[in-house]
Amino acid sequence: MPIGNTQPSVRLASAGRAGGPAVTSPAHRGGARPRGGLGAERYAPYILVAPAVLIIVLLRLYPLILGVNFSFTGDGDQNGEAVGFGNYQELFGDQLFRTALRNVGLLVLLLPVAVAIPGLLATFIYLRVPGHRFYRSVYFFPAVLSPVIVGAIFNLLLAFDGPLNAVLGSFGVGAVDWLGDPDIAMFMVVGVHIWATFGMALVVFLAGFATLDAALLDAARVDGASLRQVVWHVIVPSLARTIQFVFVTTMIGMLTSMFGLLFVMTSGGPEGSTYLPEYYIWIQQGQMNRPALASAASTILFVIMLVVGLLQIKLLDRSGKED
Amino acid sequence: MRQRAIWSAVLVVGLALAGCGSASDSGKSTSSDGKLVVWDWKSGEPFAKSYLDKAKADFKKKHADVEVEFVAQPFDQYYTLLGAAIQSGKGPDVMMFNGGGQIRDRVDALVPITDYVAEDKQRLAGWEAFTKDSKVYGSPVTLQGYPIYYNKDIYQKAGLDPASPATTWDKFVADCAAVAKAGSKCFALGNKEGVGIQFWLSSMGSVTLTAAEYDAWITGKRDWTSPNVKRVFETWKETGDKKMNTDGANSTAMFNDSFAAFQSGKAAHVMGLMSDVGHWKAFNEFLTPEKLGVMKPPVVTAGTTPSLPYDGGIGYAVAKWTKDPKVAADLVRSLTSADALKAFYADAGAIAADTTIDVSQAGPAASTIVSELKSGKPALHVALSSKTIDLMGRLSQQLLSGSITVDEVVKQLAASDQAG
């Protein structure tokens, strides 16, 4: 659009500043340049943007639409036939999928814990507790481990006849089936996920602390604030934007990165209690040979992620305005 | 914002109305001339080398100009990868399958090979698991059955006679109490994947269902209201209630944790396999052939006759999109040739589909299993759909944890089975 219109004002301004005799009237400029050149300039941005747009449309939007379209077709004998919202109806009638969605709700509820742990640990590191340098690397270490390795390690630790129950037994506490009890298993998987991933959030928090004004902390201390008061009244408000960012990225991580752990630790069990939409999609597509139903579940997961993404934009936008 | 929402709704409704597409585009051919691609999850194993060499040599005699490429896939990803290949209509010419639901659910992507393998019909066993609507879709390489193995050492420690294990359920439960007293568990069970119930249903089927009920089950006329069907699940629950299983069964993997528990003497029995995992050869390495027994399931319903449940285990099928199905079927025939299967048995320890192979050197357990093949029947769980089997796995975990009744289990399974 108005590239031709904006140019004159820039040139006029610079000419004014220079105070020279340069002739900058639009009429003259127009006469000096060939018409074709102006047209090329007008279309240049579109041409430059075109490859990116094409890639986005062909490799992102088109497959997405294909996937959504596929979710409205049938599986098995109905392969390729339009079934309207049939797959979606089946999904919401499937107890297993409802469990998967409920578990998404549980993740949202556990989110504050997943954010509070790296937040508190980062605070202690920032406040230079003894050995803080050592802790910083130790806390980050699990973040570089593959979920498969983490899952395998915790499978051994949490086995019914594993070391954790052995330790509990030495205190006279009865053995707990950590991964075999449907009331406990999901909390164990989420706990291990938090353990394995909070290192990244910790780094983000430490980066946030780097921008914290140390004078505020000093002032609070001079005023006699306790540690709890310093954390609550100085650190938390100052890191509001960082906390919001960690909230959203942790949520996305929980929704999309737990597959490996689930697969290794519980395989969705016991009794289907640790299903998440992602695992459900994999089972329907790979094991049950129901690709269209899996597409419908993928579409629902996409919508959930979209809502989380939009919330992220809104939250960051709002905190930006507050700044 | 509102306008955006309206446009989104219009797009979704449009897609819903127009919804069309296909999971498989089976009209395409992908195999290039002179080459056949085979997908399986065995060819990467060292024990398969001699088997594959023999199969390739046999095929070379028939089609010297055709190259064969084996692509070993990881088993836990196999059906996911295969599913993607089937949807795209591009993939291997020949592929390995587990018999039963896994192949029957995918026959749309396969060529019926009934006529091509007619000559092998008599020599090989286990065809039923690779057959749908009277058409054969795959040739069996191994037989998969569910014998009950037991540890004769533990029997002796418990004061039981290792030569004559219990023949009735009540006596068996009493024997298990004696085993528990001697410090071992009765069953090594890993039901984390929900697979244990499949073994249980099939192992206990012949001694709980009447012969007529058994046959009707296999042909698809399953009466879930039968007290005998309910009894199968009651005995499963009983093993949990009476603490007959190894601890933490719902969080223990069957492959290979529960088999390891049996091998290491933690439990007196295990419902094992006769293919190349969790079988007599693997157990022999730890228990020695003399200590490993194979028993018939103990009679639960009076008047029933125990039989070994078995089907075709793994086998090879021909893809619909292959250029020349006859050549691909010839490769399947080579992969199930007598020499190749002999090598598979010798190196992997699996009971091969060719029952003429001499197993007398393998020890008493293998000989017992092979001797029972003649009177054996197809396994009950193999007749169920993948969806019902998946549900049964979760329900079996609930039965062990006590969060569901047997009545509710058979009701849910009946609904799933009847829905197809």
Side-chain angles (χ1 to χ4, degrees):
Chain A
M1 178 221 75
I3 287 174
N5 296 340
T6 52
Q7 261 180 343
S9 64
V10 173
R11 293 208 174 189
L12 283 170
S14 67
R17 271 201 302 276
V23 179
T24 54
S25 81
H28 178 88
R29 213 165 27 82
R33 283 167 180 252
R35 271 175 191 278
L38 188 64
E41 253 182 56
R42 181 170 293 165
Y43 293 114
Y46 299 106
I47 293 164
L48 290 171
V49 167
V53 171
L54 271 178
I55 287 170
I56 289 170
V57 169
L58 286 180
L59 299 181
R60 297 271 175 162
L61 294 179
Y62 181 62
L64 182 71
I65 290 170
L66 273 187
V68 177
N69 178 55
F70 189 42
S71 73
F72 294 114
T73 66
D75 285 312
D77 295 339
Q78 289 184 306
N79 183 14
E81 287 174 28
V83 294
F85 286 92
N87 286 327
Y88 291 89
Q89 243 169 341
E90 187 178 340
L91 276 180
F92 287 109
D94 185 351
Q95 204 186 348
L96 204 56
F97 188 68
R98 290 205 301 267
T99 304
L101 288 183
R102 255 201 309 278
N103 280 338
V104 170
L106 181 72
L107 292 183
V108 174
L109 289 178
L110 291 173
L111 191 56
V113 180
V115 175
I117 290 173
L120 277 175
L121 294 175
T123 306
F124 293 142
I125 289 173
Y126 177 72
L127 296 175
R128 293 170 196 275
V129 292
H132 61 94
R133 282 202 182 87
F134 172 71
Y135 289 131
R136 189 166 49 189
S137 44
V138 166
Y139 291 151
F140 186 74
F141 176 64
V144 300
L145 288 177
S146 145
V148 176
I149 305 294
V150 172
I153 291 169
F154 276 90
N155 267 358
L156 292 173
L157 290 175
L158 300 172
F160 194 86
D161 54 356
L164 181 60
N165 275 339
V167 170
L168 289 177
S170 65
F171 290 106
V173 181
V176 179
D177 200 359
W178 299 106
L179 297 174
D181 185 332
D183 297 329
I184 302 174
M186 190 64 195
F187 291 98
M188 298 316 296
V189 178
V190 176
V192 173
H193 176 77
I194 292 172
W195 176 87
T197 57
F198 81 78
M200 288 309 290
L202 184 96
V203 169
V204 175
F205 271 118
L206 287 176
F209 274 115
T211 65
L212 190 65
D213 188 354
L216 281 174
L217 288 179
D218 292 339
R221 283 193 187 118
V222 168
D223 287 344
S226 66
L227 177 66
R228 195 183 63 80
Q229 285 169 322
V230 168
V231 170
W232 192 247
H233 295 291
V234 180
I235 292 179
V236 170
S238 303
L239 292 185
R241 196 166 180 180
T242 308
I243 293 169
Q244 282 165 354
F245 178 76
V246 173
F247 250 96
V248 176
T249 50
T250 306
M251 183 73 228
I252 291 173
M254 277 178 149
L255 282 178
T256 58
S257 311
M258 282 185 62
F259 179 86
L261 267 188
L262 275 181
F263 185 80
V264 175
M265 289 182 72
T266 63
S267 306
E271 306 173 22
S273 61
T274 56
Y275 262 76
L276 280 176
E278 211 186 2
Y279 191 78
Y280 182 91
I281 291 162
W282 185 81
I283 288 287
Q284 292 303 328
Q285 145 69 21
Q287 308 296 305
M288 299 294 141
N289 200 26
R290 304 281 317 265
L293 188 76
S295 278
S298 306
T299 306
I300 292 172
L301 181 61
F302 169 70
V303 170
I304 293 173
M305 298 304 299
L306 196 67
V307 169
V308 172
L310 289 174
L311 279 177
Q312 175 188 22
I313 291 168
K314 213 163 196 178
L315 278 174
L316 292 178
D317 209 27
R318 190 180 295 169
S319 72
K321 276 174 194 162
E322 280 166 6
D323 284 355
Chain B
M1 186 70 188
R2 199 175 153 198
Q3 205 172 15
R4 244 186 293 171
I6 290 169
W7 275 112
S8 305
V10 167
L11 181 67
V12 170
V13 171
L15 285 170
L17 292 175
C20 56
S22 173
S24 64
D25 183 3
S26 48
K28 290 177 191 168
S29 168
T30 53
S31 70
S32 59
D33 284 337
K35 186 177 177 184
L36 288 174
V37 176
V38 186
W39 275 18
D40 64 11
W41 60 88
K42 294 288 181 197
S43 57
E45 307 276 353
F47 66 69
K49 190 182 176 309
S50 156
Y51 160 68
L52 290 181
D53 286 348
K54 292 245 172 7
K56 282 177 188 169
D58 185 78
F59 184 69
K60 200 87 181 161
K61 276 188 244 160
K62 292 179 246 172
H63 301 281
D65 54 334
V66 180
E67 188 195 336
V68 181
E69 184 192 351
F70 282 85
V71 182
Q73 307 283 9
F75 178 64
D76 54 1
Q77 299 284 322
Y78 185 75
Y79 288 106
T80 309
L81 296 169
L82 194 60
I86 288 172
Q87 281 155 51
S88 67
K90 295 175 181 176
D93 303 277
V94 171
M95 47 194 129
M96 181 175 267
F97 274 104
N98 291 101
Q102 294 290 17
I103 188 167
R104 289 199 190 109
D105 287 353
R106 295 170 174 85
V107 293
D108 288 348
L110 304 176
V111 177
I113 54 171
T114 321
D115 297 336
Y116 299 125
V117 297
E119 272 179 57
D120 300 331
K121 265 280 185 174
Q122 291 306 313
R123 185 174 55 86
L124 303 178
W127 291 99
E128 180 57 33
F130 296 94
T131 304
K132 189 176 182 182
D133 300 331
S134 307
K135 288 178 190 162
V136 175
Y137 287 93
S139 279
V141 171
T142 62
L143 298 179
Q144 186 60 288
Y146 309 89
I148 304 175
Y149 296 96
Y150 67 100
N151 183 334
K152 293 182 180 176
D153 241 7
I154 295 181
Y155 263 55
Q156 237 151 12
K157 274 182 208 159
L160 305 170
D161 179 5
S164 52
T167 53
T168 66
W169 176 251
D170 290 341
K171 171 76 169 65
F172 183 75
V173 173
D175 284 0
C176 282
V179 165
K181 233 178 202 174
S184 296
K185 288 288 183 179
C186 187
F187 277 110
L189 178 64
N191 198 41
K192 182 177 175 177
E193 309 94 338
V195 175
I197 187 70
Q198 297 174 30
F199 290 33
W200 188 266
L201 172 67
S202 289
S203 290
M204 301 299 287
S206 66
V207 287
T208 317
L209 306 190
T210 64
E213 281 176 329
Y214 200 107
D215 294 342
W217 178 291
I218 297 298
T219 54
K221 292 166 191 149
R222 291 177 273 277
D223 179 9
W224 291 93
T225 60
S226 154
N228 289 337
V229 170
K230 202 176 142 187
R231 189 81 184 101
V232 177
F233 294 95
E234 279 169 354
T235 52
W236 167 265
K237 184 171 162 33
E238 208 175 323
T239 61
D241 293 348
K242 291 185 173 161
K243 304 209 178 303
M244 291 159 73
N245 302 317
T246 39
D247 293 326
N250 279 349
S251 59
T252 304
M254 171 176 275
F255 302 95
N256 289 314
D257 294 353
S258 68
F259 295 135
F262 175 70
Q263 284 169 184
S264 60
K266 284 183 184 163
H269 307 87
V270 72
M271 285 183 171
L273 296 165
M274 49 194 250
S275 64
D276 56 320
V277 190
H279 66 331
W280 58 275
K281 193 175 182 185
F283 298 149
N284 274 353
E285 288 173 23
F286 295 87
L287 294 179
T288 72
E290 294 72 38
K291 288 181 189 171
L292 182 70
V294 176
M295 64 180 280
K296 289 181 175 171
V299 171
V300 178
T301 305
T304 55
T305 311
S307 63
L308 177 72
Y310 79 95
D311 292 274
I314 54 172
Y316 285 98
V318 175
K320 209 171 192 171
W321 50 77
T322 192
K323 274 198 171 166
D324 190 341
K326 165 86 176 68
V327 178
D330 277 346
L331 177 58
V332 169
R333 292 196 63 203
S334 293
L335 285 161
T336 53
S337 63
D339 274 356
L341 292 187
K342 208 177 280 177
F344 200 99
Y345 151 75
D347 295 347
I351 302 294
D354 190 335
T355 53
T356 60
I357 294 171
D358 177 21
V359 297
S360 55
Q361 301 302 310
S367 300
T368 307
I369 292 169
V370 172
S371 71
E372 286 176 13
L373 287 175
K374 270 201 178 125
S375 59
K377 287 183 173 183
L380 294 183
H381 77 268
V382 176
L384 300 174
S385 69
S386 306
K387 194 181 170 190
T388 304
I389 283 184
D390 184 57
L391 174 66
M392 187 167 72
R394 290 197 301 279
L395 294 174
S396 76
Q397 293 173 335
Q398 285 184 272
L399 277 175
L400 288 182
S401 69
S403 62
I404 199 168
T405 63
V406 171
D407 284 331
E408 182 59 26
V409 166
V410 289
K411 194 176 141 194
Q412 286 195 35
L413 289 175
S416 171
D417 189 33
Q418 276 142 24

